[in-house]
Amino acid sequence: DTGVSQNPRHKITKRGQNVTFRCDPISEHNRLYWYRQTLGQGPEFLTYFQNEAQLEKSRLLSDRFSAERPKGSFSTLEIQRTEQGDSAMYLCASSQTGYNSPLHFGNGTRLTVT
Amino acid sequence: AQSVTQLGSHVSVSEGALVLLRCNYSSSVPPYLFWYVQYPNQGLQLLLKYTTGATLVKGINGFEAEFKKSETSFHLTKPSAHMSDAAEYFCAAWNYGGSQGNLIFGKGTKLSVKP
């Protein structure tokens, strides 16, 4: 169990630029989640995949956000035309199937939009 | 939809004192409940979980939590605080909405431990 890996750890970008984050889940986990965390708040659900299928998207996930999980392995989260309000920690988590399966989180990607 | 409320955004205790972090959930369906800890610039680490069975759940680092259905609570406790316990703690509950649901988090409680 090598844990959930996220890259990059930090990203600074100018408003209007596109950014892409990568998440490598625990290998035997078929579920993968993306969350966003802003200062002083708990993580907020964005979207999740079961294998390669994106099964749910939050209303927080505007049209500028897109997530993929090709072949059911790693996942990418892309933000187009970034805005200052996108500045946050983006957390990836993975789990096995089932309500009682806890989510295992990566260390996150901190995005700063200037 | 499920919601989670953590009372107190900041709790301060002395080293060796009891730690009590409060969490209430809203759903009327049997909940699956979790406590996570987050150290600065890191992801969340699972402390403990309640699914079914025994209502007193023991976790890592000496923490435990008790599920009380009548109070819709899942408070986190530790008998004796250690300096290394200083971190932010998040209570979470499974939200059954949507296709399969997801984990809903409270706003967190930052724990400070004074020497």
PDB file of all heavy atoms in Angstrom, chain B residues 18-57:
ATOM      1  N   LEU B  18      -8.217  16.050  29.190  1.00  0.00           N
ATOM      2  CA  LEU B  18      -9.175  15.347  28.332  1.00  0.00           C
ATOM      3  C   LEU B  18      -9.425  16.157  27.062  1.00  0.00           C
ATOM      4  O   LEU B  18      -9.600  17.378  27.105  1.00  0.00           O
ATOM      5  CB  LEU B  18     -10.491  15.161  29.086  1.00  0.00           C
ATOM      6  CG  LEU B  18     -11.678  14.635  28.265  1.00  0.00           C
ATOM      7  CD1 LEU B  18     -11.478  13.165  27.921  1.00  0.00           C
ATOM      8  CD2 LEU B  18     -12.974  14.854  29.021  1.00  0.00           C
ATOM      9  N   VAL B  19      -9.480  15.439  25.948  1.00  0.00           N
ATOM     10  CA  VAL B  19      -9.865  16.050  24.687  1.00  0.00           C
ATOM     11  C   VAL B  19     -11.302  15.623  24.365  1.00  0.00           C
ATOM     12  O   VAL B  19     -11.620  14.431  24.418  1.00  0.00           O
ATOM     13  CB  VAL B  19      -8.941  15.603  23.531  1.00  0.00           C
ATOM     14  CG1 VAL B  19      -9.431  16.157  22.196  1.00  0.00           C
ATOM     15  CG2 VAL B  19      -7.508  16.043  23.794  1.00  0.00           C
ATOM     16  N   LEU B  20     -12.153  16.598  24.056  1.00  0.00           N
ATOM     17  CA  LEU B  20     -13.529  16.307  23.636  1.00  0.00           C
ATOM     18  C   LEU B  20     -13.849  17.179  22.433  1.00  0.00           C
ATOM     19  O   LEU B  20     -13.900  18.399  22.546  1.00  0.00           O
ATOM     20  CB  LEU B  20     -14.517  16.586  24.768  1.00  0.00           C
ATOM     21  CG  LEU B  20     -16.013  16.530  24.378  1.00  0.00           C
ATOM     22  CD1 LEU B  20     -16.395  15.154  23.867  1.00  0.00           C
ATOM     23  CD2 LEU B  20     -16.882  16.931  25.573  1.00  0.00           C
ATOM     24  N   LEU B  21     -14.072  16.551  21.289  1.00  0.00           N
ATOM     25  CA  LEU B  21     -14.450  17.268  20.071  1.00  0.00           C
ATOM     26  C   LEU B  21     -15.839  16.789  19.679  1.00  0.00           C
ATOM     27  O   LEU B  21     -16.072  15.595  19.544  1.00  0.00           O
ATOM     28  CB  LEU B  21     -13.439  16.993  18.950  1.00  0.00           C
ATOM     29  CG  LEU B  21     -11.978  17.305  19.274  1.00  0.00           C
ATOM     30  CD1 LEU B  21     -11.097  17.036  18.059  1.00  0.00           C
ATOM     31  CD2 LEU B  21     -11.803  18.740  19.745  1.00  0.00           C
ATOM     32  N   ARG B  22     -16.731  17.745  19.450  1.00  0.00           N
ATOM     33  CA  ARG B  22     -18.151  17.412  19.280  1.00  0.00           C
ATOM     34  C   ARG B  22     -18.563  17.347  17.815  1.00  0.00           C
ATOM     35  O   ARG B  22     -18.133  18.166  16.993  1.00  0.00           O
ATOM     36  CB  ARG B  22     -19.020  18.442  19.997  1.00  0.00           C
ATOM     37  CG  ARG B  22     -18.752  18.523  21.491  1.00  0.00           C
ATOM     38  CD  ARG B  22     -19.596  19.596  22.147  1.00  0.00           C
ATOM     39  NE  ARG B  22     -19.222  19.775  23.546  1.00  0.00           N
ATOM     40  CZ  ARG B  22     -19.727  19.069  24.537  1.00  0.00           C
ATOM     41  NH1 ARG B  22     -20.635  18.124  24.291  1.00  0.00           N
ATOM     42  NH2 ARG B  22     -19.338  19.290  25.777  1.00  0.00           N
ATOM     43  N   CYS B  23     -19.443  16.381  17.520  1.00  0.00           N
ATOM     44  CA  CYS B  23     -19.940  16.198  16.160  1.00  0.00           C
ATOM     45  C   CYS B  23     -21.379  15.725  16.232  1.00  0.00           C
ATOM     46  O   CYS B  23     -21.705  14.792  16.972  1.00  0.00           O
ATOM     47  CB  CYS B  23     -19.090  15.176  15.407  1.00  0.00           C
ATOM     48  SG  CYS B  23     -19.754  14.701  13.788  1.00  0.00           S
ATOM     49  N   ASN B  24     -22.239  16.368  15.460  1.00  0.00           N
ATOM     50  CA  ASN B  24     -23.628  15.926  15.317  1.00  0.00           C
ATOM     51  C   ASN B  24     -23.957  15.743  13.840  1.00  0.00           C
ATOM     52  O   ASN B  24     -23.492  16.504  12.993  1.00  0.00           O
ATOM     53  CB  ASN B  24     -24.589  16.948  15.935  1.00  0.00           C
ATOM     54  CG  ASN B  24     -24.512  16.969  17.437  1.00  0.00           C
ATOM     55  OD1 ASN B  24     -23.684  17.662  18.018  1.00  0.00           O
ATOM     56  ND2 ASN B  24     -25.357  16.180  18.072  1.00  0.00           N
ATOM     57  N   TYR B  25     -24.742  14.728  13.544  1.00  0.00           N
ATOM     58  CA  TYR B  25     -25.140  14.481  12.169  1.00  0.00           C
ATOM     59  C   TYR B  25     -26.644  14.640  12.052  1.00  0.00           C
ATOM     60  O   TYR B  25     -27.358  14.666  13.058  1.00  0.00           O
ATOM     61  CB  TYR B  25     -24.699  13.077  11.726  1.00  0.00           C
ATOM     62  CG  TYR B  25     -25.367  11.980  12.501  1.00  0.00           C
ATOM     63  CD1 TYR B  25     -26.532  11.384  12.047  1.00  0.00           C
ATOM     64  CD2 TYR B  25     -24.839  11.561  13.721  1.00  0.00           C
ATOM     65  CE1 TYR B  25     -27.168  10.405  12.779  1.00  0.00           C
ATOM     66  CE2 TYR B  25     -25.473  10.572  14.464  1.00  0.00           C
ATOM     67  CZ  TYR B  25     -26.631   9.996  13.990  1.00  0.00           C
ATOM     68  OH  TYR B  25     -27.272   9.032  14.722  1.00  0.00           O
ATOM     69  N   SER B  26     -27.137  14.731  10.835  1.00  0.00           N
ATOM     70  CA  SER B  26     -28.539  15.087  10.662  1.00  0.00           C
ATOM     71  C   SER B  26     -29.426  13.967  10.155  1.00  0.00           C
ATOM     72  O   SER B  26     -30.625  13.989  10.356  1.00  0.00           O
ATOM     73  CB  SER B  26     -28.661  16.259   9.682  1.00  0.00           C
ATOM     74  OG  SER B  26     -28.285  15.833   8.383  1.00  0.00           O
ATOM     75  N   SER B  27     -28.868  12.986   9.503  1.00  0.00           N
ATOM     76  CA  SER B  27     -29.700  12.030   8.797  1.00  0.00           C
ATOM     77  C   SER B  27     -30.461  11.112   9.738  1.00  0.00           C
ATOM     78  O   SER B  27     -29.968  10.755  10.797  1.00  0.00           O
ATOM     79  CB  SER B  27     -28.854  11.182   7.854  1.00  0.00           C
ATOM     80  OG  SER B  27     -29.641  10.197   7.235  1.00  0.00           O
ATOM     81  N   SER B  28     -31.653  10.727   9.320  1.00  0.00           N
ATOM     82  CA  SER B  28     -32.448   9.806  10.115  1.00  0.00           C
ATOM     83  C   SER B  28     -32.149   8.351   9.763  1.00  0.00           C
ATOM     84  O   SER B  28     -32.490   7.444  10.502  1.00  0.00           O
ATOM     85  CB  SER B  28     -33.944  10.069   9.896  1.00  0.00           C
ATOM     86  OG  SER B  28     -34.268   9.901   8.533  1.00  0.00           O
ATOM     87  N   VAL B  29     -31.471   8.136   8.637  1.00  0.00           N
ATOM     88  CA  VAL B  29     -31.130   6.762   8.271  1.00  0.00           C
ATOM     89  C   VAL B  29     -29.867   6.374   9.035  1.00  0.00           C
ATOM     90  O   VAL B  29     -29.099   7.232   9.453  1.00  0.00           O
ATOM     91  CB  VAL B  29     -30.905   6.617   6.749  1.00  0.00           C
ATOM     92  CG1 VAL B  29     -32.165   6.986   6.000  1.00  0.00           C
ATOM     93  CG2 VAL B  29     -29.735   7.461   6.296  1.00  0.00           C
ATOM     94  N   PRO B  30     -29.676   5.078   9.225  1.00  0.00           N
ATOM     95  CA  PRO B  30     -28.462   4.666   9.956  1.00  0.00           C
ATOM     96  C   PRO B  30     -27.219   5.239   9.293  1.00  0.00           C
ATOM     97  O   PRO B  30     -26.989   5.013   8.113  1.00  0.00           O
ATOM     98  CB  PRO B  30     -28.515   3.143   9.856  1.00  0.00           C
ATOM     99  CG  PRO B  30     -29.950   2.824   9.686  1.00  0.00           C
ATOM    100  CD  PRO B  30     -30.532   3.943   8.890  1.00  0.00           C
ATOM    101  N   PRO B  31     -26.440   5.952  10.026  1.00  0.00           N
ATOM    102  CA  PRO B  31     -25.291   6.616   9.411  1.00  0.00           C
ATOM    103  C   PRO B  31     -24.038   5.767   9.446  1.00  0.00           C
ATOM    104  O   PRO B  31     -23.889   4.883  10.269  1.00  0.00           O
ATOM    105  CB  PRO B  31     -25.102   7.836  10.307  1.00  0.00           C
ATOM    106  CG  PRO B  31     -25.470   7.332  11.671  1.00  0.00           C
ATOM    107  CD  PRO B  31     -26.577   6.322  11.442  1.00  0.00           C
ATOM    108  N   TYR B  32     -23.162   6.032   8.508  1.00  0.00           N
ATOM    109  CA  TYR B  32     -21.789   5.578   8.607  1.00  0.00           C
ATOM    110  C   TYR B  32     -20.976   6.822   8.933  1.00  0.00           C
ATOM    111  O   TYR B  32     -21.040   7.800   8.197  1.00  0.00           O
ATOM    112  CB  TYR B  32     -21.324   4.943   7.302  1.00  0.00           C
ATOM    113  CG  TYR B  32     -22.020   3.636   6.997  1.00  0.00           C
ATOM    114  CD1 TYR B  32     -23.049   3.571   6.075  1.00  0.00           C
ATOM    115  CD2 TYR B  32     -21.644   2.466   7.659  1.00  0.00           C
ATOM    116  CE1 TYR B  32     -23.685   2.372   5.799  1.00  0.00           C
ATOM    117  CE2 TYR B  32     -22.280   1.272   7.397  1.00  0.00           C
ATOM    118  CZ  TYR B  32     -23.303   1.216   6.463  1.00  0.00           C
ATOM    119  OH  TYR B  32     -23.941   0.034   6.203  1.00  0.00           O
ATOM    120  N   LEU B  33     -20.238   6.808  10.026  1.00  0.00           N
ATOM    121  CA  LEU B  33     -19.583   7.998  10.550  1.00  0.00           C
ATOM    122  C   LEU B  33     -18.080   7.801  10.671  1.00  0.00           C
ATOM    123  O   LEU B  33     -17.622   6.701  10.983  1.00  0.00           O
ATOM    124  CB  LEU B  33     -20.169   8.352  11.921  1.00  0.00           C
ATOM    125  CG  LEU B  33     -21.667   8.655  11.926  1.00  0.00           C
ATOM    126  CD1 LEU B  33     -22.214   8.624  13.337  1.00  0.00           C
ATOM    127  CD2 LEU B  33     -21.924  10.007  11.270  1.00  0.00           C
ATOM    128  N   PHE B  34     -17.346   8.875  10.464  1.00  0.00           N
ATOM    129  CA  PHE B  34     -15.887   8.819  10.440  1.00  0.00           C
ATOM    130  C   PHE B  34     -15.309  10.050  11.135  1.00  0.00           C
ATOM    131  O   PHE B  34     -15.921  11.118  11.143  1.00  0.00           O
ATOM    132  CB  PHE B  34     -15.371   8.812   8.993  1.00  0.00           C
ATOM    133  CG  PHE B  34     -15.950   7.722   8.128  1.00  0.00           C
ATOM    134  CD1 PHE B  34     -17.202   7.859   7.547  1.00  0.00           C
ATOM    135  CD2 PHE B  34     -15.233   6.563   7.888  1.00  0.00           C
ATOM    136  CE1 PHE B  34     -17.736   6.862   6.738  1.00  0.00           C
ATOM    137  CE2 PHE B  34     -15.753   5.558   7.086  1.00  0.00           C
ATOM    138  CZ  PHE B  34     -17.012   5.708   6.512  1.00  0.00           C
ATOM    139  N   TRP B  35     -14.133   9.883  11.712  1.00  0.00           N
ATOM    140  CA  TRP B  35     -13.308  11.010  12.154  1.00  0.00           C
ATOM    141  C   TRP B  35     -11.969  10.925  11.416  1.00  0.00           C
ATOM    142  O   TRP B  35     -11.348   9.864  11.355  1.00  0.00           O
ATOM    143  CB  TRP B  35     -13.052  10.974  13.657  1.00  0.00           C
ATOM    144  CG  TRP B  35     -14.127  11.607  14.491  1.00  0.00           C
ATOM    145  CD1 TRP B  35     -15.137  10.992  15.167  1.00  0.00           C
ATOM    146  CD2 TRP B  35     -14.278  13.012  14.762  1.00  0.00           C
ATOM    147  NE1 TRP B  35     -15.912  11.916  15.832  1.00  0.00           N
ATOM    148  CE2 TRP B  35     -15.404  13.159  15.595  1.00  0.00           C
ATOM    149  CE3 TRP B  35     -13.571  14.160  14.393  1.00  0.00           C
ATOM    150  CZ2 TRP B  35     -15.841  14.401  16.070  1.00  0.00           C
ATOM    151  CZ3 TRP B  35     -14.002  15.386  14.857  1.00  0.00           C
ATOM    152  CH2 TRP B  35     -15.126  15.504  15.684  1.00  0.00           C
ATOM    153  N   TYR B  36     -11.557  12.096  10.892  1.00  0.00           N
ATOM    154  CA  TYR B  36     -10.272  12.215  10.224  1.00  0.00           C
ATOM    155  C   TYR B  36      -9.454  13.298  10.926  1.00  0.00           C
ATOM    156  O   TYR B  36     -10.004  14.249  11.501  1.00  0.00           O
ATOM    157  CB  TYR B  36     -10.461  12.635   8.760  1.00  0.00           C
ATOM    158  CG  TYR B  36     -10.900  11.530   7.830  1.00  0.00           C
ATOM    159  CD1 TYR B  36     -12.251  11.191   7.710  1.00  0.00           C
ATOM    160  CD2 TYR B  36      -9.983  10.832   7.053  1.00  0.00           C
ATOM    161  CE1 TYR B  36     -12.664  10.184   6.842  1.00  0.00           C
ATOM    162  CE2 TYR B  36     -10.379   9.830   6.179  1.00  0.00           C
ATOM    163  CZ  TYR B  36     -11.720   9.515   6.084  1.00  0.00           C
ATOM    164  OH  TYR B  36     -12.117   8.517   5.220  1.00  0.00           O
ATOM    165  N   VAL B  37      -8.129  13.195  10.822  1.00  0.00           N
ATOM    166  CA  VAL B  37      -7.222  14.216  11.337  1.00  0.00           C
ATOM    167  C   VAL B  37      -6.382  14.752  10.179  1.00  0.00           C
ATOM    168  O   VAL B  37      -6.025  13.999   9.262  1.00  0.00           O
ATOM    169  CB  VAL B  37      -6.315  13.659  12.465  1.00  0.00           C
ATOM    170  CG1 VAL B  37      -5.436  12.509  11.966  1.00  0.00           C
ATOM    171  CG2 VAL B  37      -5.427  14.767  13.050  1.00  0.00           C
ATOM    172  N   GLN B  38      -6.130  16.058  10.212  1.00  0.00           N
ATOM    173  CA  GLN B  38      -5.318  16.681   9.164  1.00  0.00           C
ATOM    174  C   GLN B  38      -4.224  17.523   9.802  1.00  0.00           C
ATOM    175  O   GLN B  38      -4.515  18.459  10.559  1.00  0.00           O
ATOM    176  CB  GLN B  38      -6.186  17.550   8.245  1.00  0.00           C
ATOM    177  CG  GLN B  38      -5.434  18.110   7.051  1.00  0.00           C
ATOM    178  CD  GLN B  38      -6.335  18.906   6.119  1.00  0.00           C
ATOM    179  OE1 GLN B  38      -7.269  19.566   6.540  1.00  0.00           O
ATOM    180  NE2 GLN B  38      -6.055  18.828   4.815  1.00  0.00           N
ATOM    181  N   TYR B  39      -2.978  17.197   9.487  1.00  0.00           N
ATOM    182  CA  TYR B  39      -1.843  18.006   9.919  1.00  0.00           C
ATOM    183  C   TYR B  39      -1.549  19.035   8.835  1.00  0.00           C
ATOM    184  O   TYR B  39      -1.917  18.834   7.672  1.00  0.00           O
ATOM    185  CB  TYR B  39      -0.639  17.108  10.203  1.00  0.00           C
ATOM    186  CG  TYR B  39      -0.902  16.129  11.333  1.00  0.00           C
ATOM    187  CD1 TYR B  39      -1.273  14.814  11.072  1.00  0.00           C
ATOM    188  CD2 TYR B  39      -0.808  16.542  12.659  1.00  0.00           C
ATOM    189  CE1 TYR B  39      -1.536  13.929  12.105  1.00  0.00           C
ATOM    190  CE2 TYR B  39      -1.071  15.659  13.695  1.00  0.00           C
ATOM    191  CZ  TYR B  39      -1.441  14.363  13.411  1.00  0.00           C
ATOM    192  OH  TYR B  39      -1.716  13.491  14.436  1.00  0.00           O
ATOM    193  N   PRO B  40      -0.881  20.132   9.179  1.00  0.00           N
ATOM    194  CA  PRO B  40      -0.655  21.207   8.201  1.00  0.00           C
ATOM    195  C   PRO B  40      -0.041  20.714   6.904  1.00  0.00           C
ATOM    196  O   PRO B  40       0.903  19.916   6.914  1.00  0.00           O
ATOM    197  CB  PRO B  40       0.289  22.155   8.960  1.00  0.00           C
ATOM    198  CG  PRO B  40      -0.038  21.927  10.392  1.00  0.00           C
ATOM    199  CD  PRO B  40      -0.357  20.469  10.512  1.00  0.00           C
ATOM    200  N   ASN B  41      -0.614  21.177   5.803  1.00  0.00           N
ATOM    201  CA  ASN B  41      -0.137  20.870   4.452  1.00  0.00           C
ATOM    202  C   ASN B  41      -0.130  19.377   4.136  1.00  0.00           C
ATOM    203  O   ASN B  41       0.700  18.912   3.330  1.00  0.00           O
ATOM    204  CB  ASN B  41       1.266  21.456   4.237  1.00  0.00           C
ATOM    205  CG  ASN B  41       1.250  22.965   4.340  1.00  0.00           C
ATOM    206  OD1 ASN B  41       0.373  23.616   3.775  1.00  0.00           O
ATOM    207  ND2 ASN B  41       2.180  23.515   5.085  1.00  0.00           N
ATOM    208  N   GLN B  42      -1.018  18.655   4.779  1.00  0.00           N
ATOM    209  CA  GLN B  42      -1.137  17.230   4.481  1.00  0.00           C
ATOM    210  C   GLN B  42      -2.587  16.876   4.185  1.00  0.00           C
ATOM    211  O   GLN B  42      -3.502  17.672   4.408  1.00  0.00           O
ATOM    212  CB  GLN B  42      -0.624  16.397   5.654  1.00  0.00           C
ATOM    213  CG  GLN B  42       0.867  16.509   5.873  1.00  0.00           C
ATOM    214  CD  GLN B  42       1.370  15.518   6.898  1.00  0.00           C
ATOM    215  OE1 GLN B  42       0.740  14.489   7.155  1.00  0.00           O
ATOM    216  NE2 GLN B  42       2.514  15.806   7.487  1.00  0.00           N
ATOM    217  N   GLY B  43      -2.783  15.673   3.693  1.00  0.00           N
ATOM    218  CA  GLY B  43      -4.136  15.175   3.464  1.00  0.00           C
ATOM    219  C   GLY B  43      -4.760  14.709   4.762  1.00  0.00           C
ATOM    220  O   GLY B  43      -4.214  14.908   5.844  1.00  0.00           O
ATOM    221  N   LEU B  44      -5.907  14.078   4.652  1.00  0.00           N
ATOM    222  CA  LEU B  44      -6.642  13.622   5.824  1.00  0.00           C
ATOM    223  C   LEU B  44      -6.309  12.171   6.120  1.00  0.00           C
ATOM    224  O   LEU B  44      -6.235  11.345   5.210  1.00  0.00           O
ATOM    225  CB  LEU B  44      -8.152  13.754   5.587  1.00  0.00           C
ATOM    226  CG  LEU B  44      -8.752  15.151   5.752  1.00  0.00           C
ATOM    227  CD1 LEU B  44      -8.379  16.044   4.594  1.00  0.00           C
ATOM    228  CD2 LEU B  44     -10.263  15.055   5.885  1.00  0.00           C
ATOM    229  N   GLN B  45      -6.142  11.881   7.413  1.00  0.00           N
ATOM    230  CA  GLN B  45      -5.836  10.523   7.849  1.00  0.00           C
ATOM    231  C   GLN B  45      -6.996   9.997   8.687  1.00  0.00           C
ATOM    232  O   GLN B  45      -7.482  10.694   9.580  1.00  0.00           O
ATOM    233  CB  GLN B  45      -4.545  10.529   8.672  1.00  0.00           C
ATOM    234  CG  GLN B  45      -4.139   9.169   9.211  1.00  0.00           C
ATOM    235  CD  GLN B  45      -2.900   9.238  10.095  1.00  0.00           C
ATOM    236  OE1 GLN B  45      -2.398  10.315  10.408  1.00  0.00           O
ATOM    237  NE2 GLN B  45      -2.402   8.091  10.509  1.00  0.00           N
ATOM    238  N   LEU B  46      -7.442   8.791   8.405  1.00  0.00           N
ATOM    239  CA  LEU B  46      -8.560   8.218   9.135  1.00  0.00           C
ATOM    240  C   LEU B  46      -8.161   7.899  10.572  1.00  0.00           C
ATOM    241  O   LEU B  46      -7.160   7.220  10.813  1.00  0.00           O
ATOM    242  CB  LEU B  46      -9.027   6.942   8.442  1.00  0.00           C
ATOM    243  CG  LEU B  46     -10.193   6.206   9.108  1.00  0.00           C
ATOM    244  CD1 LEU B  46     -11.479   7.020   8.958  1.00  0.00           C
ATOM    245  CD2 LEU B  46     -10.359   4.816   8.494  1.00  0.00           C
ATOM    246  N   LEU B  47      -8.965   8.400  11.530  1.00  0.00           N
ATOM    247  CA  LEU B  47      -8.763   8.082  12.943  1.00  0.00           C
ATOM    248  C   LEU B  47      -9.582   6.867  13.346  1.00  0.00           C
ATOM    249  O   LEU B  47      -9.102   5.967  14.023  1.00  0.00           O
ATOM    250  CB  LEU B  47      -9.201   9.255  13.822  1.00  0.00           C
ATOM    251  CG  LEU B  47      -8.233  10.400  14.059  1.00  0.00           C
ATOM    252  CD1 LEU B  47      -8.902  11.469  14.906  1.00  0.00           C
ATOM    253  CD2 LEU B  47      -6.966   9.910  14.741  1.00  0.00           C
ATOM    254  N   LEU B  48     -10.879   6.883  12.963  1.00  0.00           N
ATOM    255  CA  LEU B  48     -11.764   5.785  13.330  1.00  0.00           C
ATOM    256  C   LEU B  48     -13.041   5.883  12.506  1.00  0.00           C
ATOM    257  O   LEU B  48     -13.303   6.911  11.875  1.00  0.00           O
ATOM    258  CB  LEU B  48     -12.101   5.805  14.831  1.00  0.00           C
ATOM    259  CG  LEU B  48     -12.530   7.122  15.456  1.00  0.00           C
ATOM    260  CD1 LEU B  48     -13.987   7.407  15.199  1.00  0.00           C
ATOM    261  CD2 LEU B  48     -12.268   7.112  16.962  1.00  0.00           C
ATOM    262  N   LYS B  49     -13.834   4.801  12.538  1.00  0.00           N
ATOM    263  CA  LYS B  49     -15.095   4.796  11.810  1.00  0.00           C
ATOM    264  C   LYS B  49     -16.140   4.002  12.595  1.00  0.00           C
ATOM    265  O   LYS B  49     -15.815   3.075  13.350  1.00  0.00           O
ATOM    266  CB  LYS B  49     -14.924   4.188  10.421  1.00  0.00           C
ATOM    267  CG  LYS B  49     -14.585   2.697  10.430  1.00  0.00           C
ATOM    268  CD  LYS B  49     -14.518   2.140   9.003  1.00  0.00           C
ATOM    269  CE  LYS B  49     -14.256   0.627   9.023  1.00  0.00           C
ATOM    270  NZ  LYS B  49     -14.193   0.056   7.659  1.00  0.00           N
ATOM    271  N   TYR B  50     -17.390   4.405  12.419  1.00  0.00           N
ATOM    272  CA  TYR B  50     -18.517   3.650  12.947  1.00  0.00           C
ATOM    273  C   TYR B  50     -19.381   3.206  11.767  1.00  0.00           C
ATOM    274  O   TYR B  50     -19.797   4.024  10.944  1.00  0.00           O
ATOM    275  CB  TYR B  50     -19.364   4.504  13.899  1.00  0.00           C
ATOM    276  CG  TYR B  50     -20.672   3.821  14.244  1.00  0.00           C
ATOM    277  CD1 TYR B  50     -20.708   2.801  15.186  1.00  0.00           C
ATOM    278  CD2 TYR B  50     -21.851   4.148  13.582  1.00  0.00           C
ATOM    279  CE1 TYR B  50     -21.884   2.138  15.470  1.00  0.00           C
ATOM    280  CE2 TYR B  50     -23.039   3.499  13.865  1.00  0.00           C
ATOM    281  CZ  TYR B  50     -23.041   2.486  14.796  1.00  0.00           C
ATOM    282  OH  TYR B  50     -24.216   1.829  15.074  1.00  0.00           O
ATOM    283  N   THR B  51     -19.660   1.911  11.721  1.00  0.00           N
ATOM    284  CA  THR B  51     -20.564   1.410  10.692  1.00  0.00           C
ATOM    285  C   THR B  51     -21.765   0.744  11.369  1.00  0.00           C
ATOM    286  O   THR B  51     -22.856   1.282  11.378  1.00  0.00           O
ATOM    287  CB  THR B  51     -19.852   0.433   9.748  1.00  0.00           C
ATOM    288  OG1 THR B  51     -19.204  -0.587  10.520  1.00  0.00           O
ATOM    289  CG2 THR B  51     -18.790   1.164   8.954  1.00  0.00           C
ATOM    290  N   THR B  52     -21.567  -0.403  11.961  1.00  0.00           N
ATOM    291  CA  THR B  52     -22.624  -1.050  12.733  1.00  0.00           C
ATOM    292  C   THR B  52     -21.980  -1.702  13.943  1.00  0.00           C
ATOM    293  O   THR B  52     -20.761  -1.767  14.056  1.00  0.00           O
ATOM    294  CB  THR B  52     -23.356  -2.134  11.919  1.00  0.00           C
ATOM    295  OG1 THR B  52     -22.392  -3.092  11.484  1.00  0.00           O
ATOM    296  CG2 THR B  52     -24.066  -1.550  10.718  1.00  0.00           C
ATOM    297  N   GLY B  53     -22.830  -2.202  14.854  1.00  0.00           N
ATOM    298  CA  GLY B  53     -22.273  -2.940  15.983  1.00  0.00           C
ATOM    299  C   GLY B  53     -21.975  -2.052  17.175  1.00  0.00           C
ATOM    300  O   GLY B  53     -22.743  -1.134  17.491  1.00  0.00           O
ATOM    301  N   ALA B  54     -20.878  -2.277  17.821  1.00  0.00           N
ATOM    302  CA  ALA B  54     -20.513  -1.578  19.057  1.00  0.00           C
ATOM    303  C   ALA B  54     -20.523  -0.074  18.849  1.00  0.00           C
ATOM    304  O   ALA B  54     -19.968   0.437  17.873  1.00  0.00           O
ATOM    305  CB  ALA B  54     -19.141  -2.028  19.530  1.00  0.00           C
ATOM    306  N   THR B  55     -21.169   0.613  19.783  1.00  0.00           N
ATOM    307  CA  THR B  55     -21.315   2.060  19.626  1.00  0.00           C
ATOM    308  C   THR B  55     -20.090   2.830  20.092  1.00  0.00           C
ATOM    309  O   THR B  55     -19.942   4.001  19.753  1.00  0.00           O
ATOM    310  CB  THR B  55     -22.546   2.555  20.411  1.00  0.00           C
ATOM    311  OG1 THR B  55     -22.401   2.164  21.791  1.00  0.00           O
ATOM    312  CG2 THR B  55     -23.820   1.968  19.842  1.00  0.00           C
ATOM    313  N   LEU B  56     -19.220   2.185  20.857  1.00  0.00           N
ATOM    314  CA  LEU B  56     -17.960   2.827  21.250  1.00  0.00           C
ATOM    315  C   LEU B  56     -16.871   2.304  20.323  1.00  0.00           C
ATOM    316  O   LEU B  56     -16.582   1.109  20.313  1.00  0.00           O
ATOM    317  CB  LEU B  56     -17.639   2.515  22.713  1.00  0.00           C
ATOM    318  CG  LEU B  56     -16.379   3.189  23.270  1.00  0.00           C
ATOM    319  CD1 LEU B  56     -16.530   4.717  23.249  1.00  0.00           C
ATOM    320  CD2 LEU B  56     -16.090   2.709  24.686  1.00  0.00           C
ATOM    321  N   VAL B  57     -16.301   3.202  19.583  1.00  0.00           N
ATOM    322  CA  VAL B  57     -15.332   2.829  18.561  1.00  0.00           C
ATOM    323  C   VAL B  57     -13.948   3.342  18.964  1.00  0.00           C
ATOM    324  O   VAL B  57     -13.804   4.510  19.317  1.00  0.00           O
ATOM    325  CB  VAL B  57     -15.719   3.443  17.198  1.00  0.00           C
ATOM    326  CG1 VAL B  57     -14.716   3.037  16.135  1.00  0.00           C
ATOM    327  CG2 VAL B  57     -17.116   3.025  16.799  1.00  0.00           C
TER     328      VAL B  57
END
